[in-house]
Amino acid sequence: QVQLVESGGGLVQPGGSLRLSCAASGFSLNYAIGWFRQAPGKEREGVACIDNHSTIYADSVKGRFTISRGNVMNTVYLQMNSLKPEDTAVYHCAAGLLVVYRALLRPNSYNYWGQGTQVTVSS
């Protein structure tokens, strides 16, 4: 059974950095891992995703966020730099089986979700 646990959220000032971690278990390398976020009153949106071949980012975070796999298998990180107040949201990681590239940022491409971690960017 696939399980995902996020950590690393918190309160940070604008311009600051945070690194989120997603510890995943129970899945094979055929799964894509994505980071998604949902702010109050808004739909869940894809932020950054990684599979065996590529990474993809939402336009709003390109150049500021980096998704990567850790040395420990099945750990995926989201390094977030130059944070803005509009980045405030609950961040979830998710796993999806055999997701095609063009669908990597779509929440409905993913079958398994973590509980989420709050990121608040405020002075």
Side-chain angles (χ1 to χ4, degrees), residues 31-75:
Y31 278 86
I33 301 293
W35 281 99
F36 297 81
R37 65 188 181 187
Q38 188 164 18
K42 295 188 177 181
E43 292 186 354
R44 187 169 293 185
E45 63 172 347
V47 175
C49 304
I50 187 168
D51 64 9
N52 288 339
H53 309 289
S54 57
T55 58
I56 187 171
Y57 298 90
D59 288 342
S60 60
V61 306
K62 281 180 182 176
R64 300 189 298 123
F65 291 11
T66 303
I67 189 170
S68 62
R69 292 189 186 274
N71 291 330
V72 176
M73 199 62 182
N74 296 347
T75 301

Side-chain angles (χ1 to χ4, degrees), residues 36-45 47 85-92 117-119:
F36 297 81
R37 65 188 181 187
Q38 188 164 18
K42 295 188 177 181
E43 292 186 354
R44 187 169 293 185
E45 63 172 347
V47 175
E86 52 263 43
D87 295 318
T88 295
V90 176
Y91 284 70
H92 300 265
T117 184
Q118 176 70 46
V119 171

Side-chain angles (χ1 to χ4, degrees), residues 73-96:
M73 199 62 182
N74 296 347
T75 301
V76 174
Y77 300 104
L78 184 68
Q79 178 67 43
M80 305 186 296
N81 299 328
S82 302
L83 283 161
K84 305 175 181 180
E86 52 263 43
D87 295 318
T88 295
V90 176
Y91 284 70
H92 300 265
C93 68

Side-chain angles (χ1 to χ4, degrees), residues 1 5 10 20 23 25 27 49 59 62 71 75 83-84 105 110 113 121:
Q1 182 178 358
V5 179
L20 305 183
S25 61
F27 71 100
C49 304
D59 288 342
K62 281 180 182 176
N71 291 330
T75 301
L83 283 161
K84 305 175 181 180
L105 287 175
Y110 293 77
W113 292 83
V121 185

Side-chain angles (χ1 to χ4, degrees), residues 98-119:
L98 298 176
V99 181
V100 298
Y101 180 79
R102 64 180 180 273
L104 280 171
L105 287 175
R106 298 175 189 169
N108 60 9
S109 298
Y110 293 77
N111 310 99
Y112 302 96
W113 292 83
Q115 292 297 309
T117 184
Q118 176 70 46
V119 171

